[in-house]
Amino acid sequence: ATTPYRWSAADLPAGNYVLTARATDNRGAVSVSNGVAITVDVVPTIALTAPDDGTIVAAGADVLLQATAADPDGTIARVEFFDGTVKLGEASVAPYRFFWPAVPAGVHALTAIATDNLGGSAATAPITVTADRPPGVALTAPLNLAKFTAPASIALAASASDSDGTVALVEFFSGTTKVGEVTAAPYQFTWSGVGAGTYALTAVATDDLGLATTSA
């Protein structure tokens, strides 16, 4: 009833509306404005279904991003995938998926945004994916083709490092049989009571995020 002439329409159901304003003066004369067409849109729903929150992948790997999305009063026009504010890719038809190639090392905050046919949009909560560089490892002792007298005690040694973390564990294997492990440098272990035979020895280094590398 007083200027400025404003009114808020709360909880309008989805649909199409034509709005008008009608002014009545102090003598009862009335004028009606031209109509303004509006659409009330229900925004879509979306969930990021892959990868899982907290996933750890090897840096440089390809990662599948996938989302489910629905629109109760229309259709999904597109689903976009983001790393922080950087758009990685999009899909316009279900299943909504994108293969993220050669993921760079680091921690990534991933989201998906669904946009419907009327331009309404909704975003997922961010999930965290860590791309980890695997450790490096080399078996430094014994030398290749070394010979021992049975029953032998063989000194096994390895060098290991991790460029973006720490080495948690170095394990020593004969074929597929684990013969020992160490958790701190120097990575050395004595393999005792070794019988006659030929053995293929390797060392496996595992970093603080669980990625492992096997030596030659």
Side-chain angles (χ1 to χ4, degrees):
T2 58
T3 186
Y5 304 109
R6 296 175 179 171
W7 177 74
S8 295
D11 299 324
L12 278 180
N16 299 312
Y17 298 85
V18 177
L19 306 181
T20 57
R22 184 174 67 183
T24 304
D25 70 14
N26 60 319
R27 295 182 178 178
V30 176
S31 290
V32 179
S33 71
N34 293 328
V36 173
I38 68 166
T39 298
V40 177
D41 182 29
V42 177
V43 297
T45 59
I46 183 168
L48 194 56
T49 57
D52 293 330
D53 190 20
T55 293
I56 298 171
V57 300
D62 298 342
V63 174
L64 171 65
L65 308 182
Q66 184 165 304
T68 57
D71 188 43
D73 63 344
T75 57
I76 298 295
R78 65 182 179 276
V79 171
E80 300 165 286
F81 299 95
F82 289 83
D83 176 16
T85 60
V86 177
K87 181 176 175 178
L88 301 173
E90 68 175 60
S92 56
V93 295
Y96 304 105
R97 56 176 59 175
F98 172 76
F99 281 94
W100 184 15
V103 177
V107 179
H108 304 275
L110 304 182
T111 55
I113 297 177
T115 302
D116 68 16
N117 58 304
L118 295 178
S121 63
T124 65
I127 67 166
T128 298
V129 170
T130 300
D132 182 31
R133 291 186 179 95
V137 62
L139 190 61
T140 57
L143 296 177
N144 194 33
L145 302 180
K147 294 183 179 180
F148 301 87
T149 300
S153 291
I154 302 174
L156 307 179
S159 61
S161 62
D162 188 44
S163 61
D164 60 351
T166 58
V167 174
L169 176 70
V170 172
E171 300 165 286
F172 296 98
F173 287 84
S174 170
T176 59
T177 302
K178 180 176 174 178
V179 297
E181 67 175 52
V182 288
T183 57
Y187 304 108
Q188 299 172 351
F189 176 79
T190 300
W191 184 22
S192 302
V194 182
T198 300
Y199 301 91
L201 305 181
T202 56
V204 177
T206 303
D207 69 13
D208 55 315
L209 294 181
L211 287 190
T213 302
T214 302
S215 72

